[in-house]
Each structure stands twice: as C-alpha cells, then as structure tokens.
Amino acid sequence: MKRPRLALALSLCLALGASPLLSAQTAPPLPASASSAPLLEAITVSGVQPGPGLWTVTRGDHTLLILGTLSPIPRDVTWKTDQIDDALAHAGELILPPKVEIKPNVGFFGRLALLPSLIGVRNAPDDATLQQTLPPDVYQRWLAVKARYIGDNRKVERYRPIFAAVELYKEAVKKAGLRKSGDITRTVVDLATKHNVRQVPVPYTLLVDDPRAVVKAFKRSTLDDVSCFTQSVDNIDAQLADMTRRANAWATGDMTNLRDDRRAKQLQTCLDAITEGGVAQRAGIADVPREVRTLWLATVDDAMAHNAQTVAIVPIDDLLGDDGYLAALKAKGYTVQSPDDE
C-alpha cells in the first residue's frame, strides 16, 4: 500500500533536516534574471460562485461532509462559505486537519544538548556541493531557476538536493504572490465556533529515542533524492501556473480541474526519498504517513458513530488518488459521493 502524500513530504523532509527534529509542524539554459519569473494573473472569484464542493460520506443515517483544502492559493482569492456554513450549522463535530509533530524523547536539557548537533544538518555529506552531486544538465537547469526565484544564495549550494528543492519551492511561491491555506482552515474554525460545534484535533506525535544518534547517522547518510530534485526543478514554472488553475477550480467547485497527476507523482517521489532511507526507518519516520492516516480514519469512525452529521477538513492532496483518504473510506465500507455527483 502506498503512503499518503500530503504535505508530509515537506514536513517529514524538514523533520529530518533541521531543528524540526525538535518539532515538525516538497542545450542547457542560461541562468535567467529574477525579472523573468512568470507573473500569475491575480484571481478574485466574484459574483455568485458555488465555492469549494464537499465530499459526502455516509453509513446508514450518519453523514460526514469533507472540505478539501488547497495550498498554496493566491493571496486575493475569495470563496463562498454558504455550503460549509450550512454543513457546520447541522454538525455535531468538526474534525480538524491532521497535525504531525516529531520530537526527541528527551527532557528540556536533553533538547538543549541536541541543538549543537543540528548545525549543518541540511548540508550534503562531506561538504559536497550541488554541482558535485547532480548530473551536469540538471545542475545547469537548477542555476536557471535558482536565478529566477532564489537569487545569489551561496549557502543553498551546499544543501542536499531535497532541501535545495524545498528552498526553491518556498521562494517561488513567495515571488508568485501565493500564500498557505491557513486562512481557509481559520475561516472554517470561526464558523464552527459561531455554531458551537465541537472541534476534534487529530494530533500525531512521534517521539524519537536517542535523537543525537539519529542526527549523526543522518549527516553521514545519503538520500536517493536526485529524482525528487530534478522533478522539482523541471516542474516549478508549470507548477506555479497549475496553482493558479487549481485555485480557480477550488473556489468554483470544479473538482475535475483540482486533480494534478504531475504534482502527485512529484510528491510521492520526494516522500519516498525521505522515508525509504535507513535512518528514517530506524527512527520510525517512515511509518508516519501510514500512522497519521490510520489515526484520521479512527477519528472518523468515532465521530460517525455518535453524530448524525460531522464535518472534516483535509488537504486535497491527501483526499485524492488511489491511496488517498477517500479511497480508504470506501475500502472501510463507507459510501463516498463526489461533489461532481450532486
């Protein structure tokens, strides 16, 4: 069974590579100038729009309505909340998005002692540079997108490829005028508060025993992350355009155009690079996506057992696909109806 993709690809990557081990909350062209970065058309969905559709999950007389959240989205995108507002007005509980934390299984002073060993943890073993690590053609393509989105950052040249890819993604999203989907979740939480709906968190915490040994082993280890890096470099411009298209689709309830097989493939490649290494498996990090999905499904089972109606918020990337949460619900015997079927 494949692991759920989620933004776990980024959170687990950061958990392996920085202080989030304490707490983890993605002919060679010549380098282009930063001014050549693609400009995305600003999106403001106006007028009477249906807003994002809700998946309907049923078993007997019990109903679960799921809002899939999209990230990132344009800063000025708006969406109509009538449907989710009405759903919450008749709901017994709101299941919040899963939250993952990866922490050292030590006390306060143990965490302080761990901090020095975290210095340089993003860097490649033996101080190798990206130019030394990557195939020449991939490195030339990297220089082009780095010039557009990151600029003259020499430190990133000593990062492992997967951490350089994370830095590229973060800076490209920022330059494109996009933002995280936190406002969507906050809006839903505010609506739930207005209707006095009980909010149910889905927290998963992995306690890492002997974290200093894990950090040392990770610094010495290699990751099979060149494929993840290559896809990130080659897809970044198209991804920014796709983000605009998907944001429009999300705000207007167009489920067909929310699907993005290229993004799903890239996320899975990067997640595999993180979780299939020996260090990740010994620390238990490889099991996190499966454990999070199991915890979420158990939370749904409990809510469906005692509520006539429940609402849940889940990232779109976790919902869709053969290994997504919707497929898992069907496998458990629930009836799942897409917004397209309404």
Side-chain angles (χ1 to χ4, degrees), residues 11-56:
S11 64
L12 291 181
C13 178
L14 293 175
L16 275 174
S19 56
L21 257 178
L22 300 179
S23 177
Q25 314 282 315
T26 149
L30 295 175
S33 67
S35 63
S36 65
L39 297 176
L40 298 185
E41 181 182 353
I43 295 179
T44 302
V45 180
S46 58
V48 180
Q49 299 289 349
L54 303 180
W55 277 266
T56 303

Side-chain angles (χ1 to χ4, degrees), residues 277-290:
V279 175
Q281 293 189 10
R282 288 195 297 274
I285 292 174
D287 299 328
V288 170
R290 175 176 52 80

Side-chain angles (χ1 to χ4, degrees), residues 6 95-100 201-204 292 296 313-315 318 325:
L6 201 271
I95 301 175
L96 298 172
K99 180 181 179 182
V100 177
V202 187
Y204 179 82
V292 170
W296 185 84
I313 323 173
V314 182
D318 283 345
Y325 288 14

